[in-house]
Amino acid sequence: MATAKKYVYFFGPGKADGTAKMKNLLGGKGANLAEMCNLGCPVPAGFTITTEACVYYFENGEKWPKGLKEEVAKQMARLEKMMGRQFGNPANPLLCSVRSGARASMPGMMDTVLNLGLNDQTLPALINMTGNARFAYDSYRRFIAMFGDVVLGVKKAVFDHILESKKQKTGAKFDADLTAESLAEIVEDFKGAVKEKTGKPFPQDPQIQLTMAINAVFGSWNNQRAKDYRKLYNIPVTWGTAVNVQSMVFGNMGNDSGTGVAFTRDPSTGEHRFFGEFLVNAQGEDVVAGIRTPMHVDGMAKVFPEAAKDLLNIAVKLEKHYRDMLDLEFTVQNKKLYMLQARVGKRTAASAVRIAVDMVKEKMISKKEAVKRIEPSQLDQLLHPMIDPKAKRVVLAKGLPASPGAAVGQVVFSSSEARLLAEQGRHPILVRYETSPEDLSGMSVSQGILTVHGGMTSHAAVVARGMGKCCISGAGEIKIDEVHRVFHVGKTVVAAGDWITLDGSSGQVILGKTPLVDPILSGYFDTLMGWADSMRKLGVRANADTPEDAAIARGFGAAGIGLCRTEHMFFAKDRILAVREMIIANNKEARMKALRKLLPMQRSDFKGILKAMEGFPVTIRLLDPPLHEFLPKTHEQIDRVAHEMGIPARDVESRAEQLHEANPMLGHRGCRLGITYMEIYEMQARAIFEATAELLKKKVKALPEVMIPLVGTLKELELCKEMVVRVGKEVEKQRGIKLPIIVGTMIELPRAALCADSIAKEAAFFSFGTNDLTQTTLGLSRDDAGTFLPAYVEKGVFPEDPFVSIDEEGVGQLMQIGVEKGRKVNPKLKVGICGEHGGDPRSVSLCHRLGLDYVSCSPYRIPIARLAAAHASIGEASSGTA
């Protein structure tokens, strides 16, 4: 006969049914309560209902699994026996808390009910047992408010209004100043509010209270807060939450009681010091809610010396046991300490790095464990300014967190406005429906960029990440009125010159100036990254287009450049005119004349970036975007450009119309442009090799790699490669020096991946352009898909935005085919990735598994890629596949 599934696990002093290793079943809170009991810590007894019960509840129309009701009753009887009280007994009542506890820490996201079991019959018994009427009424009013909010759906504001009105009427400054009589009146008012709002009296049967509270905690797994948190931290909805029913201890029993939260190390800095806050005569929610100013936990020794000593000893014991910084919740009742929670503490990135390094020095953990403990995405906090965690926010709108960090500045609606403000020493934030390459000059001087349209790999997002600037894209709630130079969010109007703050890590657009804190890279960071580098197999390069970007990338540990986009150089003020002359030219001779002007400029560009990355390879992509992107779009811009060039405006407009394409992403761009206008690619190749020759003669080790974009057939690569090699040989002969002539291609079309064995015959390297490969594989426009992709992710069509993390099933499979086929005919083929996915930890892991040689990403994401690559290697070794 099969054993019935166990859904409830007991814990009590000195012995528990569970352990810390049962986190998936008991949730973090339940597993850690059990572990503290097993370690002999003073923990109020109780029981945990498993996550499996929660999963069943949601999968079966919010019904309990068979046997759960009986198990709860059995464990409640066991709890009653241990505590010497009975749940619901009007003479000797047992009161309980009901708390959530998922396997991943989700602080404050789900619901809690305290003082369960109080009613009009058990209240007098609590007064008699404690001799403290004020405490009893205070506990009852708290219970009605929490149960009313969490279980019955009566808004917390309803209870807050009643409480504040009573305080004003009686002259009480704090809740603790209210008398027993006032609290008794509040209890009645609270019950009246429940009846008014729900149409039913407040539930008096403790068994009904318990069932309803358990259901409410199960239900809180799917409240909006929890959903948003899970989405942010990639926590699966299928995990569910456990429910912990625990006998109450009271911090609000008087001045010999209290409650607090502590950390075994400082969660902000990582400093090895006991850190926390404590309130006398309070319950747990008072500390979090900020109703009163708590004292530092150090001061607890003056009030409760024995409890403070016990707390410090337990903190040391638990940290040694768990080998990590812990977040502890505790209550003191009648001067005796009780532990309510121990979990691995949330911490800032700076704190996480310091704690990991210190614990290696203290011989608590290994270097491998230290590296694994830092989530790569956490490092964003260290590399960019961030909003002061203590600052208040007035959130206007929310978009996609396209480039991390934070920015405070004044709203401008054009690049020219941004430049003007910047020249005046002010701080612009560029607000656009979307940006184009034309906006580069404005973006470069802006504190941050905010766009209404676009996704995580839109022009604004990619360029901002490369510049290390904060960017929010796809903020669709914003309506721009360019005529009146304002934008609207609902009824709020923000004008040009008004101050806003961007939080690029959360996607929040905040009204007004919000204080920022600057990142500081410590010696702890360097130590940790050194350990990570020793463990990883993947190389890490940068996507960089200027010597300045290259220097930043090198400082962050880049071993080369995996993508240098030459088109970004064309928009500089000193060359855009020559570029436009070349585009508007109606014959080859006229084009060549314009290209001769560009040659020395491009040579200088390449010389600077090759020198900045001396000793490391620099992969230079020849011109990729369609030519119309370099031409003006509005009549005003066309008139200005025509005037600058000294030609009729109709000539500019006519050429722009000729070059216009219905779908430019699949149009006349990349190698198609190079084959039809080979002189453009020839000028760029010459500039690359002449720059290399000049540097080599000066003993600067320049290592260029020429990359042909958008290749889909072998013939396209052959035509372009033949020209590049020819030009390289010509420069060798002219300059009398041997040059590295290395030609490869981007793999950004499905056909290129499928025919990789053919293309690899002529390629020294492959670089997967995963932005375009994602677009062409999934049939998605990265700039337009932002309107529906969030819904697709929410509904589970895609597990994650495919422009943020590589679609492993589709795009990942094409990459695997490309790698295997390419290396089959060319075993020495070097393979990398240069799309923005190169800085995404999940995508880096995929690249490691596919056997790529390197990933390339924007400079400020290089440490993230380095750490993610180390995680991938450690994961491979621990799974036994190394």
Side-chain angles (χ1 to χ4, degrees):
M1 184 174 168
T3 307
K5 184 185 283 280
K6 182 173 179 173
Y7 286 109
V8 185
Y9 287 72
F10 191 83
F11 58 86
K15 179 62 182 160
D17 296 346
T19 69
K21 293 178 181 177
M22 297 169 70
K23 188 169 69 170
N24 291 0
L25 184 67
L26 303 180
K29 187 187 291 284
N32 289 329
L33 285 169
E35 191 76 359
M36 283 196 291
C37 287
N38 293 332
L39 290 169
C41 298
V43 176
F47 55 86
T48 300
I49 302 170
T50 66
T51 56
E52 289 179 346
C54 177
V55 172
Y56 182 98
Y57 177 81
F58 283 114
E59 288 179 350
N60 292 273
E62 299 187 354
K63 290 186 175 68
W64 287 16
K66 187 179 179 182
L68 177 58
K69 183 179 178 182
E70 291 75 18
E71 279 194 75
V72 168
K74 179 182 175 184
Q75 297 302 341
M76 180 62 83
R78 186 175 172 187
L79 181 60
E80 288 171 336
K81 185 177 180 182
M82 180 171 282
M83 302 305 295
R85 299 193 187 109
Q86 281 188 302
F87 188 62
N89 186 317
N92 185 27
L94 171 67
L95 302 184
C96 296
S97 64
V98 181
R99 289 182 168 98
S100 62
R103 67 169 86 170
S105 177
M106 296 173 61
M109 296 302 111
M110 290 179 288
D111 292 326
T112 294
V113 178
L114 303 180
N115 309 328
L116 192 95
L118 267 175
N119 58 21
D120 294 348
Q121 287 72 46
T122 56
L123 179 68
L126 188 62
I127 295 171
N128 291 334
M129 285 162 56
T130 62
N132 189 336
R134 191 204 171 279
F135 151 72
Y137 280 112
D138 185 50
S139 298
Y140 197 13
R141 68 94 184 170
R142 289 172 185 270
F143 170 52
I144 295 168
M146 292 184 91
F147 193 93
D149 175 27
V150 170
V151 182
L152 302 176
V154 180
K155 290 185 178 177
K156 182 177 177 290
V158 171
F159 302 111
D160 288 346
H161 176 71
I162 294 169
L163 183 66
E164 289 304 314
S165 296
K166 180 63 71 175
K167 282 160 68 176
Q168 286 179 13
K169 190 175 178 181
T170 60
K173 185 177 180 182
F174 298 112
D175 297 358
D177 298 331
L178 289 164
T179 63
E181 291 74 19
S182 295
L183 288 165
E185 291 168 8
I186 289 170
V187 164
E188 293 307 313
D189 290 344
F190 277 11
K191 287 194 290 185
V194 168
K195 187 167 185 180
E196 180 188 334
K197 296 295 181 182
T198 67
K200 296 177 182 177
F202 186 81
Q204 292 290 312
D205 185 334
Q207 294 298 335
I208 291 174
Q209 291 176 0
L210 179 61
T211 300
M212 292 176 76
I214 291 169
N215 287 345
V217 172
F218 279 158
S220 71
W221 175 249
N222 275 337
N223 69 31
Q224 197 56 49
R225 293 192 313 273
K227 285 180 180 177
D228 292 343
Y229 191 90
R230 288 201 301 269
K231 186 176 178 183
L232 189 62
Y233 290 98
N234 296 309
I235 297 170
V237 67
T238 53
W239 282 3
T241 180
V243 178
N244 298 285
V245 179
Q246 191 173 17
S247 53
M248 281 295 304
V249 286
F250 298 96
N252 62 327
M253 201 173 261
N255 290 331
D256 63 352
S257 303
T259 191
V261 175
F263 297 84
T264 57
R265 303 190 188 213
D266 191 315
S268 294
T269 66
E271 187 182 348
H272 195 171
R273 69 184 182 100
F274 196 50
F275 177 91
E277 294 178 326
F278 178 77
L279 273 176
V280 173
N281 194 17
Q283 281 198 322
E285 73 269 20
D286 296 344
V287 178
V288 179
I291 294 166
R292 288 155 54 197
T293 303
M295 69 173 74
H296 192 278
V297 75
D298 290 350
M300 185 178 153
K302 296 175 184 175
V303 188
F304 308 124
E306 284 302 313
K309 182 182 174 185
D310 290 344
L311 177 63
L312 198 55
N313 289 337
I314 288 169
V316 171
K317 179 180 182 178
L318 289 174
E319 186 179 89
K320 282 183 178 176
H321 179 74
Y322 281 94
R323 300 183 311 120
D324 207 343
M325 185 272 275
L326 297 178
D327 170 0
L328 307 173
E329 291 178 17
F330 60 93
T331 285
V332 175
Q333 178 180 300
N334 298 330
K335 298 186 179 180
K336 178 172 170 52
L337 176 73
Y338 294 92
M339 301 302 297
L340 305 181
Q341 166 102 295
R343 63 184 170 199
V344 172
K346 296 287 182 186
R347 62 203 81 178
T348 65
S351 173
V353 170
R354 176 170 178 173
I355 289 169
V357 172
D358 279 349
M359 285 189 167
V360 172
K361 291 177 182 175
E362 294 162 22
K363 301 192 186 314
M364 289 177 73
I365 62 174
S366 67
K367 291 177 182 178
K368 190 178 286 188
E369 285 177 290
V371 169
K372 277 291 286 179
R373 282 189 180 179
I374 312 301
E375 283 298 320
S377 55
Q378 272 186 292
L379 296 185
D380 263 344
Q381 285 183 30
L382 296 179
L383 307 176
H384 301 273
M386 57 185 286
I387 293 174
D388 188 336
K390 300 170 189 168
K392 291 186 177 178
R393 304 182 180 206
V394 180
V395 179
L396 269 178
K398 196 161 189 282
L400 298 169
S403 184
V408 178
Q410 293 173 277
V411 169
V412 297
F413 294 101
S414 70
S415 286
S416 57
E417 282 182 89
R419 290 195 301 272
L420 185 63
L421 242 68
E423 285 165 8
Q424 296 168 357
R426 293 156 75 189
H427 301 92
I429 285 183
L430 183 60
V431 181
R432 304 281 280 156
Y433 270 110
E434 66 225 340
T435 62
S436 72
E438 194 82 24
D439 289 310
L440 274 174
S441 60
M443 295 171 76
S444 67
V445 298
S446 294
Q447 301 297 303
I449 298 102
L450 169 62
T451 68
V452 177
H453 301 147
M456 295 290 284
T457 55
S458 63
H459 175 268
V462 172
V463 172
R465 282 195 291 269
M467 293 177 172
K469 290 186 183 289
C470 168
C471 175
I472 296 172
S473 60
E477 299 164 81
I478 291 173
K479 310 297 178 194
I480 297 175
D481 181 347
E482 291 183 340
V483 175
H484 297 99
R485 298 176 66 241
V486 298
F487 72 76
H488 300 261
V489 181
K491 293 181 180 178
T492 304
V493 180
V494 179
D498 287 351
W499 289 85
I500 61 171
T501 302
L502 306 182
D503 184 349
S505 300
S506 70
Q508 289 182 340
V509 182
I510 300 160
L511 192 62
K513 293 182 182 180
T514 309
L516 307 182
V517 290
D518 288 324
I520 299 171
L521 292 180
S522 65
Y524 293 101
F525 174 81
D526 292 335
T527 298
L528 185 97
M529 294 309 295
W531 295 341
D533 289 339
S534 71
M535 297 170 192
R536 65 181 168 91
K537 295 177 183 176
L538 270 173
V540 178
R541 297 191 191 182
N543 298 343
D545 311 321
T546 66
E548 293 75 23
D549 285 348
I552 292 167
R554 195 160 185 159
F556 281 136
I561 290 175
L563 176 63
C564 173
R565 293 157 288 211
T566 54
E567 61 270 12
H568 286 181
M569 302 165 179
F570 282 5
F571 278 96
K573 265 186 174 180
D574 62 346
R575 63 199 70 183
I576 188 65
L577 203 60
V579 172
R580 285 168 172 160
E581 281 179 28
M582 180 265 293
I583 293 168
I584 290 169
N586 54 16
N587 59 64
K588 185 175 179 179
E589 187 180 338
R591 274 195 302 278
M592 291 296 293
K593 182 181 176 183
L595 287 167
R596 280 193 288 273
K597 292 180 186 178
L598 285 170
L599 176 63
M601 298 174 187
Q602 283 268 271
R603 187 193 309 126
S604 175
D605 292 332
F606 298 139
K607 192 174 174 182
I609 205 161
L610 286 164
K611 186 176 180 182
M613 202 50 77
E614 180 182 4
F616 290 117
V618 175
T619 304
I620 301 169
R621 181 179 72 187
L622 300 187
L623 190 65
D624 184 37
L627 295 178
H628 72 81
E629 281 200 11
F630 299 94
L631 294 179
K633 292 166 182 63
T634 67
H635 288 295
E636 183 187 348
Q637 291 170 342
I638 287 169
D639 289 342
R640 189 182 73 244
V641 168
H643 176 73
E644 289 171 354
M645 296 180 68
I647 61 174
R650 65 177 176 272
D651 289 357
V652 179
E653 192 169 7
S654 172
R655 186 60 172 148
E657 286 173 359
Q658 287 173 13
L659 293 172
H660 174 76
E661 295 176 302
N663 190 349
M665 190 201 72
L666 299 179
H668 194 185
R669 53 167 286 219
C671 67
R672 300 161 190 175
L673 190 66
I675 289 168
T676 51
Y677 298 116
M678 189 65 83
E679 57 271 18
I680 298 175
Y681 274 17
E682 189 166 335
M683 178 277 292
Q684 291 193 296
R686 190 170 299 280
I688 291 167
F689 292 126
E690 287 181 357
T692 304
E694 288 180 20
L695 290 170
L696 290 175
K697 284 194 170 184
K698 292 178 180 177
K699 307 299 182 188
V700 176
K701 193 176 181 184
L703 297 170
E705 298 176 340
V706 180
M707 183 157 69
I708 313 299
L710 212 72
V711 163
T713 69
L714 174 61
K715 190 63 178 176
E716 286 172 319
L717 181 58
E718 284 176 337
L719 288 169
C720 294
K721 180 182 176 181
E722 184 182 356
M723 178 277 298
V724 172
V725 172
R726 173 177 57 77
V727 171
K729 294 294 183 185
E730 287 174 7
V731 174
E732 272 188 342
K733 191 174 180 182
Q734 291 162 1
R735 300 299 177 100
I737 190 166
K738 182 73 175 169
L739 297 174
I741 303 174
I742 301 167
V743 183
T745 183
M746 290 184 85
I747 303 293
E748 47 195 331
L749 297 173
R751 190 185 194 281
L754 294 170
C755 301
D757 49 349
S758 172
I759 295 169
K761 293 171 187 173
E762 292 294 333
F765 63 88
F766 282 173
S767 182
F768 286 101
T770 50
N771 296 343
D772 276 354
L773 187 58
T774 297
Q775 293 193 94
T776 54
T777 301
L778 298 181
L780 292 175
S781 162
R782 67 183 181 187
D783 292 328
D784 300 322
T787 56
F788 63 85
L789 266 182
Y792 263 46
V793 174
E794 192 174 323
K795 294 179 187 299
V797 178
F798 294 133
E800 199 164 350
D801 185 333
F803 292 111
V804 175
S805 270
I806 292 172
D807 161 40
E808 292 197 17
E809 189 178 16
V811 176
Q813 195 172 164
L814 283 171
M815 290 173 67
Q816 183 177 0
I817 291 167
V819 173
E820 290 174 356
K821 282 194 163 191
R823 284 186 173 152
K824 190 174 182 180
V825 299
N826 183 355
K828 293 182 179 179
L829 185 74
K830 186 163 54 178
V831 184
I833 176 179
C834 63
E836 275 301 302
H837 293 103
D840 168 62
R842 289 189 180 188
S843 302
V844 171
S845 176
L846 172 66
C847 293
H848 173 90
R849 297 195 307 273
L850 292 178
L852 269 61
D853 295 294
Y854 67 87
V855 296
S856 187
C857 57
S858 56
Y860 288 88
R861 292 187 71 78
I862 284 162
I864 295 170
R866 289 164 61 195
L867 186 57
H871 277 213
S873 290
I874 294 167
E876 179 185 65
S878 61
S879 67
T881 57

